[in-house]
Amino acid sequence: MELRQHALQVLCLTDPEEKSNAALDIQARAASFSIATQAAITLPDTDTPTLPGRPARPELLHHTAVARRSPATAQGRAVLIHAIAHIEFNAINLALDAIWRFAGMPDPFYLDWLRVAAEEAKHFHLLRGHMRTHLGRDYGDFPAHQGLWSMCEKTAHDIVARMALVPRTLEARGLDATPLIQRKLRQVGTPDALAAVTILDVILAEEVGHVAIGNHWYAWLCAHKGLEPVAHY
């Protein structure tokens, strides 16, 4: 089995549970995959799917149209956790896209993003389980936006831009935002809010590693292309 082609197949899956389970499964079997680093992986000529594969719900709106609600209410906390779960679901797609789309990188590049895809899948499972168990809601119950994937599309033909603007910019913003969210949830103090704080502790610790991976490969690419990293960013 070849890793990059398989990553594309998983990216095309539409069911969130199937996609996240498949990402975890690839990571568990990483040693059994070959990596065609130089191959140009292409979408099938027939029945070409829309990337990424996504479920019918949630409804996708412009980011300015997505409502924000106070975490002081159960409904507000459900909206908040749903929004974070949607980010994590999109992050699975982003990691899988980096694996299949960009040829010519060393093996560790593809294995790093495979690790990211699996950890994002774990985060999605944690948040979806929290919504179901504590809030009586599920993924898809509220509208969401596609800000992360929009940046993925804008950087589809430039791996340097992808590394600069997705992990090092958009995902890095989450490192700043998460402690503020946790503080608000601690102030609420309900069992579900405190359980969410614990989940966000897990996510935050691993997201630091994801931003570091993006930073590493951005620096590697700049060195190989003769670019000055700060000025180019």
Side-chain angles (χ1 to χ4, degrees), residues 138-197:
D138 198 0
Y139 180 63
D141 284 355
F142 303 102
H145 69 81
Q146 282 293 84
L148 270 176
W149 185 258
S150 296
M151 184 62 79
C152 186
E153 292 177 330
K154 291 175 183 176
T155 59
H157 303 292
D158 187 342
I159 188 174
V160 182
R162 173 69 64 84
M163 294 298 108
L165 298 177
V166 174
R168 297 183 77 248
T169 302
L170 295 185
E171 293 193 72
R173 288 175 184 169
L175 303 185
D176 296 327
T178 300
L180 301 177
I181 295 170
Q182 289 179 300
R183 185 173 66 192
K184 291 180 180 179
L185 290 170
R186 288 192 188 96
Q187 289 172 348
V188 172
T190 59
D192 70 278
L194 296 177
V197 170

Side-chain angles (χ1 to χ4, degrees), residues 26-41:
I26 301 176
Q27 168 68 6
R29 297 186 295 120
S32 67
F33 286 92
S34 62
I35 306 177
T37 58
Q38 301 303 318
I41 308 296

Side-chain angles (χ1 to χ4, degrees), residues 110-126:
Y110 303 104
L111 295 174
D112 276 350
W113 289 109
L114 178 59
R115 169 193 149 193
V116 172
E119 290 179 350
E120 304 291 15
K122 181 180 79 175
H123 302 167
F124 177 75
H125 281 169
L126 288 170

